[in-house]
Amino acid sequence: MGVIKKKTVTRGTEGGVKYVCDVCSADITSTVSTPGPTVAFQSYQVRIRCAHHVCNEYDLCVPCFSAGESSRDHDPRIHSYSVIEQHSIPIYTKDWGADEELLLLEGAESYGLGSWADIADHIGGYRTKDEVRDHYIKTYIESSKFPLPERASPDDRSLIDEVPREKFQARKKRRIEERKEAAKSAPPATPKQKPTASVPACHEIQGYMPGRMEFETEFANEAEEAVQHMQFDPGDGLNPRTGEVEPEMDLKMVVMDIYNSRLTARAERKKIIFEHNLLEYRKHAALDKKRTKEERDLLNKAKPFARMINHHDFEEFCNGLEYEHNLRQAIAQLQDWRQMGIGDLKGGEKYEQEKQQRAQRPAPTGSFDRLASIRPNKPTPPVETPSATTALTAPELPIRLQQNGIHTPISPNSRSPNNSTDRALTNGHANGTLTPQSGKSRYIIQPIPGAQPLKLNNENATDLHLLTREEQELCSVLRIMPKPYLVIKEHLMKEAMKQGGNLKRKVAREVCKIDVTKSGRIFDFFVHSGWISKG
């Protein structure tokens, strides 16, 4: 085998594919042959590869080939050969050679698009992941001949004529040397640490062994039991008479596929643990102590998304959720202040301080209570704040104080246009979620004589999920599809907002422009739901 892929190279180093001579083991990746009396090669990278079917990827350097050296099954007297030169010439862009373009496509096929760091290591030459990504997007994705590059035609030799081989190779050598010197003088990315031992470092995280990068109990820990006694002998599995694969061999291959899928799932879970630094248990525990209960519940529900995005994007996602949670609590507090008649932030702070003082004040006891002196004082319950789960899954902004259990009478004189239309503005909902009303009875929809209700589902009514259960029942009884109903609902709400939340039945019939009976049922349903008031 004459090819060695450097899989253990450091990111951002020379890396790439390395070729060695199978006779003298010399590195012939960048060998330069000079012209002489017997060798008629030009002065650029070249190696000799055996083209016989017996020798698989058998490479020779020029001195060994000229001396007739051989090893293993190679016979230089009868085996044909081919001269392979390193195609270090520009074909698509001035700073990328044909050999690098081939390695780029090979790395993308092996590691997948998006694994730019692995592809850069596969290309070598101190190419960075950002450089590889930008070159691929600019050359292949943004090409007018997508998926082919602009200069994909074999007859296009403009870059080869513009930048000769010697000039291009000199540029490449100078670039590699400069980046190599820069890498030597650059500070180390991570400080040197003591070697880790292959013993469990923290039993609270499944006994992780950092020296082996394994756990005492792995995912699908018993997966190896199904294949531990399985054997594969040469020629096994083929019927000598028919030449077909035996059923036992098919069964073995199915078991091996199941085992490989479990190993893949195990590797994916390890990758998530290492990428998101989940082994730093104490650090995460200290951060959780600084968060509120609602924030902890919110982040716990967001953890499944860590399997889909990288660590940086997941942190931004969690920070955005926390910021949204804080905004919702601030909005709820401001609305509470507005309902209490507070018009500035200073007054709101004073109100909160007095509210906490009232909550901490002990309840008065009766003067004739003989057990008042010996009765233990109950601890003051903490002031509850809206939980993050409620704020994100079923947000109920306190538009009215009745939602928090506080009933404050509102005089007719103090009723402002905003208060009169707040129910119409929110359409009976708070942020898209139906506000619970404990004292409201269920609206019974009267059927239309001589009309059978429609059977609505997600197949024949694609917009059914936009309606509440009562609205779905209303559309089914009145034989109205969800989309026309939503249009009628929007027009009725707009008309009610123009008239301060009040609407007459006659006006509703004119707005609906449908059957009188159906428009009347819809009007009664809206009035009963509290979305509009009967004028």
Side-chain angles (χ1 to χ4, degrees):
M1 182 68 69
V3 181
I4 296 177
K5 293 186 178 179
K6 293 185 178 179
K7 302 297 289 184
T8 59
V9 297
T10 307
R11 297 281 167 119
T13 58
E14 188 174 357
V17 179
K18 181 180 179 181
Y19 297 94
V20 296
C21 178
D22 284 88
V23 176
C24 64
S25 299
D27 186 2
I28 55 176
T29 305
S30 302
T31 302
V32 180
S33 62
T34 57
T38 58
V39 183
F41 299 113
Q42 298 179 2
S43 58
Y44 50 83
Q45 289 86 346
V46 65
R47 69 180 185 275
I48 310 300
R49 169 161 291 190
C50 180
H52 199 271
H53 64 87
V54 177
C55 301
N56 183 23
E57 294 186 354
Y58 188 89
D59 295 324
L60 290 171
C61 62
V62 175
C64 292
F65 172 75
S66 60
E69 301 289 344
S70 63
S71 64
R72 295 186 306 193
D73 298 332
H74 178 66
D75 189 355
R77 298 172 298 175
I78 59 175
H79 286 189
S80 58
Y81 64 90
S82 58
V83 180
I84 299 178
E85 59 181 280
Q86 191 173 5
H87 302 287
S88 186
I89 53 175
I91 56 175
Y92 298 150
T93 59
K94 294 182 180 180
D95 55 342
W96 279 70
D99 53 345
E100 293 178 314
E101 298 287 354
L102 290 174
L103 292 174
L104 170 61
L105 298 179
E106 181 183 343
E109 183 180 2
S110 301
Y111 305 108
L113 288 177
S115 303
W116 302 116
D118 296 331
I119 298 175
D121 292 341
H122 185 76
I123 296 173
Y126 290 91
R127 294 285 188 185
T128 62
K129 62 177 183 179
D130 296 333
E131 187 179 4
V132 174
R133 182 192 64 236
D134 297 341
H135 173 74
Y136 182 83
I137 294 175
K138 183 177 180 181
T139 306
Y140 295 92
I141 303 299
E142 297 179 356
S143 173
S144 59
K145 300 178 182 179
F146 177 83
L148 298 177
E150 294 289 346
R151 296 183 173 91
S153 175
D155 301 331
D156 189 353
R157 299 179 58 86
S158 58
L159 284 179
I160 300 177
D161 298 337
E162 182 180 353
V163 184
R165 182 189 298 270
E166 294 77 10
K167 184 178 179 180
F168 179 81
Q169 291 182 359
R171 289 181 181 176
K172 181 178 180 181
K173 182 178 180 181
R174 185 168 58 253
R175 173 177 57 83
I176 292 176
E177 291 178 353
E178 291 176 355
R179 295 191 179 184
K180 189 174 182 179
E181 292 296 330
K184 288 182 180 179
S185 60
T190 55
K192 294 183 179 180
Q193 298 177 354
K194 296 173 61 178
T196 55
S198 296
V199 294
C202 181
H203 289 275
E204 295 176 341
I205 47 176
Q206 295 292 333
Y208 175 62
M209 295 174 283
R212 300 169 56 181
M213 298 185 69
E214 293 180 355
F215 296 88
E216 285 186 335
T217 304
E218 296 279 357
F219 173 78
N221 199 45
E222 300 177 354
E224 286 76 12
E225 294 182 359
V227 297
Q228 61 180 350
H229 300 298
M230 193 176 295
Q231 295 181 356
F232 291 90
D233 298 327
D236 189 14
L238 291 177
N239 193 329
R241 297 180 180 178
T242 61
E244 297 179 354
V245 180
E246 295 181 355
E248 184 180 358
M249 179 57 67
D250 292 336
L251 179 60
K252 287 183 177 180
M253 298 307 298
V254 171
V255 174
M256 289 300 299
D257 291 339
I258 296 174
Y259 173 64
N260 290 331
S261 65
R262 291 180 178 178
L263 291 184
T264 303
R266 182 186 298 174
E268 289 177 353
R269 282 159 174 78
K270 279 188 179 180
K271 181 180 178 182
I272 295 171
I273 291 174
F274 298 146
E275 183 177 2
H276 294 277
N277 300 324
L278 299 182
L279 296 174
E280 299 178 359
Y281 176 78
R282 295 181 179 178
K283 178 181 177 181
H284 292 290
L287 291 176
D288 285 339
K289 290 181 179 179
K290 297 179 181 180
R291 299 188 179 101
T292 62
K293 181 180 180 301
E294 291 79 12
E295 292 176 347
R296 289 196 296 268
D297 295 340
L298 178 63
L299 295 182
N300 287 333
K301 289 198 171 186
K303 284 182 180 179
F305 294 99
R307 302 178 60 180
M308 309 173 191
I309 53 181
N310 57 35
H311 181 60
H312 177 69
D313 294 341
F314 180 70
E315 281 191 344
E316 290 186 355
F317 174 67
C318 292
N319 293 335
L321 289 181
E322 290 184 4
Y323 183 65
E324 181 188 8
H325 171 69
N326 295 333
L327 282 180
R328 288 182 179 275
Q329 284 192 337
I331 292 173
Q333 189 178 43
L334 290 175
Q335 290 182 344
D336 188 17
W337 292 355
R338 185 180 63 180
Q339 295 292 340
M340 292 298 179
I342 301 173
D344 54 353
L345 296 178
K346 184 178 294 186
E349 293 178 0
K350 183 179 179 181
Y351 166 74
E352 291 295 332
Q353 293 176 0
E354 294 178 353
K355 184 178 179 180
Q356 292 180 1
Q357 292 176 1
R358 288 194 300 271
Q360 296 174 0
R361 189 179 305 166
T365 57
S367 57
F368 298 100
D369 192 353
R370 287 183 255 173
L371 301 178
S373 59
I374 61 174
R375 181 177 299 168
N377 294 329
K378 295 183 179 180
T380 305
V383 180
E384 296 184 357
T385 57
S387 63
T389 304
T390 307
L392 291 178
T393 57
E396 299 172 7
L397 299 182
I399 298 175
R400 292 187 179 276
L401 294 178
Q402 283 80 355
Q403 295 180 3
N404 295 330
I406 304 174
H407 298 271
T408 304
I410 302 176
S411 61
N413 298 330
S414 63
R415 182 174 182 178
S416 62
N418 292 333
N419 292 332
S420 62
T421 59
D422 56 356
R423 187 180 295 272
L425 288 172
T426 57
N427 196 11
H429 293 69
N431 286 0
T433 307
L434 186 63
T435 304
Q437 299 177 7
S438 58
K440 186 181 70 173
S441 61
R442 185 175 180 275
Y443 180 73
I444 301 176
I445 305 171
Q446 298 296 330
I448 299 178
Q452 294 292 333
L454 285 176
K455 294 182 179 180
L456 300 177
N457 51 47
N458 293 327
E459 296 180 358
N460 58 13
T462 57
D463 300 325
L464 189 63
H465 64 282
L466 300 176
L467 308 182
T468 61
R469 188 177 300 274
E470 290 79 6
E471 289 178 317
Q472 293 177 9
E473 183 180 357
L474 177 68
C475 292
S476 175
V477 173
L478 300 184
R479 299 181 63 84
I480 300 176
M481 298 302 290
K483 184 171 289 187
Y485 167 77
L486 291 174
V487 175
I488 294 173
K489 180 180 179 180
E490 180 182 3
H491 285 76
L492 287 177
M493 291 301 172
K494 289 182 178 179
E495 189 66 28
M497 290 170 61
K498 294 179 182 178
Q499 302 181 14
N502 301 324
L503 194 66
K504 295 183 178 180
R505 185 184 296 270
K506 181 179 180 181
V507 177
R509 293 175 181 175
E510 295 176 356
V511 172
C512 292
K513 296 181 181 180
I514 57 176
D515 183 67
V516 177
T517 306
K518 294 182 179 181
S519 63
R521 298 283 197 277
I522 295 175
F523 178 79
D524 294 338
F525 176 74
F526 283 16
V527 172
H528 182 271
S529 299
W531 299 342
I532 60 176
S533 301
K534 184 182 294 186

